[in-house]
Amino acid sequence: MSCRHPWAEMVLSPAEDRVTPCCDYSAHGEALRGLGQVRTVDEMWNGAEMQRTRRIQAGREAAPNGCTGCPQSFDSPMTQPADLFAVHGEDAVTPAQRDNLELARRDHAEKVEVARAWPVKYVVFSGWGCNITCRICNQVPYRNQMKDKLPAGAYQAWRQRMACAAVVECLGGEPFALPSGIAFMQEFVADRAMDHVRLLITTNATLVHKHLDWLKAKERVSFNVSIDSVGAGYEAIRVGGSWPVVEANLRTIQRLSETERPLWRLKVNALVTLTGLFHLPDYARFLADTGIRSSFHALRVTRGIEETLYQEDVLRYPRLLQNLPDWRRRLDDALSILRDAGLDAEAETLSQFGERLRGANAAPTSTRADKVLASVVGIDVARLAVGGLGDGATLDGLTFRPATIKDGIVFGVNFQGTLPADGCVTLRLAWAKDRLSRSRVPCQVVLMDQPHFTLQDWRDVSDERTLVKEVEAMVTGDSSQLRRLLLSVMAAKVGLVNVLPDRVDILARS
């Protein structure tokens, strides 16, 4: 069954100057601006790039394309794609909304390239600025280079077509931390012609208490809140956030939805992480205690957060479960709590993720890698470079200034019959901490997909004086043949000096 998004939704992102039918579409998309001004819905909805997405989903444009590798095709535990028309139909309360929804349904069924209906849902990004820095956020690495905010006048340019939508979603970054986001939402709430259109706010809920007075003027409001965990787990993942503040705000919204605002909705969501798994029973107790509904999701690979994934993504790297020997008990406890509370949908989704974990191969990896095969020190480290990634990765000694977050240097290590008998090698990269500062940051160490080696483990073994990152890799195929291990030292942050290690040791298990 083809994806419904190209006939139902439009995502408007000023940070990327990009308009697409969903957040996961990987090609360019329509431009948000034209001749210095925000473009109208009429110009964008049936533009050339939006028509292309409909051709792709109609099977008239071959892969690879912007839908190739969509994470929804492999990360989601749900067996069937959501029927967006049925989901949005819950909010289609006027004849104009229902007519537009039905026409969009027919557009999808007929696979038309030029849509006759207008979007059933708009997703409006205010920008990527935020008041906290979540470790697992795919926007954080890009914030220094994608600073554009929602242009002034955007609401007035789009409001006419939005009147027949079921939902308008506002998000960021953090929409309550961006003046452009607040202004857009306030205009929308104050516009009586939009009373029938639901406002969906995707937020971290750290600032929502400051805006409840004007939000209460709107009867149809939904809050989608990313929290990932509770208590210490929340604060470990969502750096800069305060769980007591967020918990109080969530309980306030839930109380208002049960009393003054019966058409308000609240949902939280959590990514499946090692930290989250540790605190999972507490998360389930919070849901059971408050009655707040939750969804669960897999982490997604994003340039700039690979090191976090190596430490948190238990679905891709099940060896992490060795760090939590009682993870099965914690998972089972959480499932029991959810089922006892009648939160069956939450329990079902979490159970599906749990089955993936139970079926994963989490064979122990060695923590001993102390037989040194070779060492490279000082400026000789730069001689390991065999190429660059991106446009701005030009070495200046042992540093470079990236132009984009996708810039980096590729190290190459050749093995010709010198691989250990078990085929496993470790590259230990070390930085003297006195070389680092707020303006000089260590590169991220990333083992990208390659023909002859796979990632076995990634470790931070730093001490007071030295920052140390270890990457353990296993050879695939014939270890007696020439094999080149490629290790990428990637930009950690744009706008700063990114520092290469001053020592690289190549080790084998003793």
Side-chain angles (χ1 to χ4, degrees), residues 153-431:
Y155 177 70
Q156 292 302 322
W158 301 335
R159 68 175 295 277
Q160 179 183 0
R161 298 306 183 190
M162 285 181 171
C164 61
V167 181
V168 172
E169 179 179 6
C170 293
L171 68 168
E174 170 49 47
F176 289 117
L178 295 167
S180 59
I182 295 171
F184 186 95
M185 290 186 290
Q186 287 180 331
E187 284 188 83
F188 184 81
V189 168
D191 190 343
R192 297 279 69 86
M194 297 294 174
D195 283 351
H196 58 285
V197 182
R198 178 169 292 275
L199 171 62
L200 167 59
I201 308 172
T202 293
T203 172
N204 59 37
T206 58
L207 302 170
V208 70
H209 56 286
K210 299 181 178 181
H211 301 279
L212 285 174
D213 286 344
W214 60 264
L215 280 170
K216 283 192 286 186
K218 178 82 172 169
E219 289 191 2
R220 298 177 179 275
V221 182
S222 293
F223 297 87
N224 176 38
V225 185
S226 301
I227 60 175
D228 297 309
S229 188
V230 297
Y234 166 89
E235 294 183 358
I237 296 171
R238 306 191 73 80
V239 179
S242 167
W243 173 246
V245 171
V246 171
E247 181 182 17
N249 285 340
L250 293 175
R251 289 181 181 273
T252 297
I253 294 169
Q254 184 75 345
R255 176 182 56 79
L256 286 169
S257 70
E258 295 169 347
T259 56
E260 300 177 36
R261 286 292 175 268
L263 296 180
W264 278 20
R265 300 173 186 163
L266 170 62
K267 181 179 75 68
V268 297
N269 57 73
L271 293 166
V272 180
T273 63
L274 180 65
T275 299
L277 195 54
F278 182 86
H279 295 276
L280 196 55
D282 291 333
Y283 186 77
R285 290 188 192 97
F286 171 74
L287 300 179
D289 178 49
T290 60
I292 296 172
R293 308 311 297 256
S294 176
S295 57
F296 296 91
H297 305 276
L299 283 156
R300 298 179 182 179
V301 177
T302 302
R303 166 75 277 274
I305 64 168
E306 294 95 342
E307 291 186 355
T308 297
L309 298 182
Y310 296 154
Q311 299 170 78
E312 291 285 354
D313 193 347
V314 290
L315 293 169
R316 279 189 176 82
Y317 308 114
R319 47 92 183 165
L320 290 169
L321 297 172
Q322 298 167 49
N323 300 316
L324 192 59
D326 64 343
W327 69 269
R328 291 179 180 83
R329 178 188 64 79
R330 293 174 185 271
L331 175 63
D332 289 340
D333 287 351
L335 288 170
S336 294
I337 293 166
L338 293 173
R339 288 171 179 144
D340 289 346
L343 298 173
D344 295 333
E346 287 78 358
E348 175 61 23
T349 305
L350 185 59
S351 177
Q352 291 182 53
F353 278 122
E355 290 307 308
R356 287 174 59 179
L357 293 175
R358 295 180 204 277
N361 178 16
T365 55
S366 170
T367 57
R368 292 177 60 94
D370 51 11
K371 179 183 178 181
V372 179
L373 302 178
S375 297
V376 183
V377 182
I379 194 62
D380 287 343
V381 169
R383 297 193 175 101
L384 291 174
V386 295
L389 296 171
D391 298 325
T394 301
L395 281 176
D396 180 8
L398 289 178
T399 67
F400 71 94
R401 285 185 176 272
T404 75
I405 198 66
K406 296 184 179 180
D407 294 342
I409 304 295
V410 180
F411 285 174
V413 180
N414 293 327
F415 295 92
Q416 174 70 67
T418 57
L419 279 163
D422 64 359
C424 192
V425 294
T426 296
L427 269 64
R428 177 182 293 161
L429 293 81
W431 291 257

Side-chain angles (χ1 to χ4, degrees), residues 307 311 427-437 440-445 458-471 489-490 492 497-505:
E307 291 186 355
Q311 299 170 78
L427 269 64
R428 177 182 293 161
L429 293 81
W431 291 257
K433 288 187 176 179
D434 59 12
R435 291 182 63 216
L436 308 175
S437 66
R440 294 170 57 89
V441 297
C443 297
Q444 284 215 354
V445 180
W458 188 101
R459 300 179 286 265
D460 182 336
V461 291
S462 304
D463 57 32
E464 291 184 0
R465 293 186 176 182
T466 312
L467 173 67
V468 182
K469 303 176 183 182
E470 292 184 349
V471 179
V489 280
M490 301 297 297
V497 175
N498 284 248
V499 182
L500 270 61
D502 42 38
R503 182 182 182 95
V504 178
D505 294 316

